[in-house]
Amino acid sequence: MNRATVEERFLKVTKRFAKLSGVWPEQNKFVKFLLWAMVDITMASSIILQTARVIHIGTLDVVIEQSSLIGAMILMIIKHGNYLVNATKLESLLNDMSEDWATNRMKEEFEIMTTYANRGSFLAKFYSVNDSLSANAGVLTLIFIQMPWSPRLIHMLKHQNTSPPLIYSIPSYYFVEDDREYFYYIQLYLSLCVYVVLVVFVSCDTLYMVLVQHGCGLLTVAGYRFKNAVKKNFLGAKCTETKEVHESVWYSICGHQKAIASVLLRDCISYHPH
C-alpha cells in the first residue's frame, strides 16, 4: 500500500485539518508561514484581550471565568508550537508509517494493522465531524459560535423595546467605550478565534490518535509474529524450518523496537498534559 492510499484511507480527516493549521509536512512553506502567523496572532491577541478584562474588572468571578479560557489558549499555543518545532520528527513518523504499510507482510499482519488504522481513522472522524448529534468538535463549535446570536434572535422575535443583550462566546475587554457599535466586528473576530481553536486541536489531537493506533498495531504485529515463532519452535520445527523461526523471532524483536521508537518519537512532538 503506497503513501497516497494510506493517506486517503486512514489520514483523510487528519490531513485536511493539519493543512489548515499549517502542521502538515508536505505544505508550501509560504502558506504554512501564513497559517502559523494567523494561529499565533489570533491566540496571542485573544489572551491579551482576556487578560485586559481581568485587569479592567478585577473581581474574583472574572478571574475564575477567564483563567480557564486563558489557560486553554496558552496550552493550545504550546501544543501547536510543539508540532512546528518538531516538524522533522513528524515527517519522519509519517514516512515510517508509509514504509510500514509498504513492507511485505503476512495477510494476518496486514489485517491487524488495518484494524488499528481503522480505529484511529474512526476516532479522528468522531473527534472532528460526526453525522450524529454527539459531543464532537464540529457540533460543539457550532453551538459555541451561535451563543451570541440566539438571545438576539429571540429578542427580535419578541419585539421588545429594550436593547438586545450583548453576549460574547469569549468574554474579553476590547478597549472601546460602546461594545454595541462594534458588536458585529467583535463577533467576526471571535468566530475566527473559535475556528482557529477547532482547527489546531483537531489537527494535533487526531494526528496523535492516528500515530498511537499505528504504534499499537506495530506492537501487536510484533507480538503475533513472536507468538507464532515460539509456538512453531515449541512444537518442534524441522531443521529446514529453524531458520524461518529464527527470522521470525528476529523480525518480531526488530518490529517491537521500531514500535517503541515510534512511540517515543510521537511523544516528543505531542503535548498532552494529564
Side-chain angles (χ1 to χ4, degrees), residues 105 215-226 248-264:
R105 301 177 185 273
C216 291
L218 292 179
L219 289 171
T220 306
V221 167
Y224 174 82
R225 177 68 68 94
F226 184 78
S248 295
V249 173
W250 176 84
Y251 175 85
S252 63
I253 293 173
C254 291
H256 189 268
Q257 291 176 339
K258 185 176 181 180
I260 292 176
S262 175
V263 170
L264 293 175

Side-chain angles (χ1 to χ4, degrees), residues 114-233:
T114 302
T115 299
Y116 281 94
N118 285 331
R119 184 182 300 172
S121 178
F122 170 77
L123 291 173
K125 291 177 182 177
F126 182 81
Y127 187 83
S128 55
V129 180
N130 197 350
D131 293 333
S132 61
L133 294 177
S134 55
N136 56 67
V139 174
L140 291 178
T141 299
L142 292 176
I143 294 174
F144 204 64
I145 291 177
Q146 64 82 35
M147 285 174 54
W149 304 105
S150 296
R152 294 177 72 87
L153 179 61
I154 295 173
H155 183 273
M156 291 173 59
L157 294 176
K158 288 185 176 181
H159 300 287
Q160 298 178 357
N161 294 326
T162 58
S163 300
L166 293 178
I167 298 176
Y168 300 109
S169 52
I170 304 177
S172 303
Y173 179 68
Y174 297 98
F175 300 97
V176 293
E177 295 182 0
D178 187 7
D179 288 359
R180 300 179 190 278
E181 184 178 352
Y182 301 94
F183 179 78
Y184 295 102
Y185 297 105
I186 292 173
Q187 293 304 328
L188 181 62
Y189 166 75
L190 293 178
S191 297
L192 176 62
C193 290
V194 174
Y195 165 79
V196 169
V197 170
L198 167 69
V199 168
V200 171
F201 270 111
V202 171
S203 62
C204 295
D205 289 352
T206 55
L207 271 170
Y208 185 81
M209 294 174 187
V210 171
L211 293 173
V212 165
Q213 291 302 318
H214 181 69
C216 291
L218 292 179
L219 289 171
T220 306
V221 167
Y224 174 82
R225 177 68 68 94
F226 184 78
K227 181 180 179 181
N228 283 353
V230 172
K231 183 178 180 181
K232 184 181 291 187
N233 186 58

Side-chain angles (χ1 to χ4, degrees), residues 3-15:
R3 178 158 183 168
T5 306
V6 172
E7 291 178 359
E8 180 65 24
R9 287 188 60 182
F10 308 122
L11 296 170
K12 192 172 183 179
V13 173
T14 300
K15 182 179 179 180

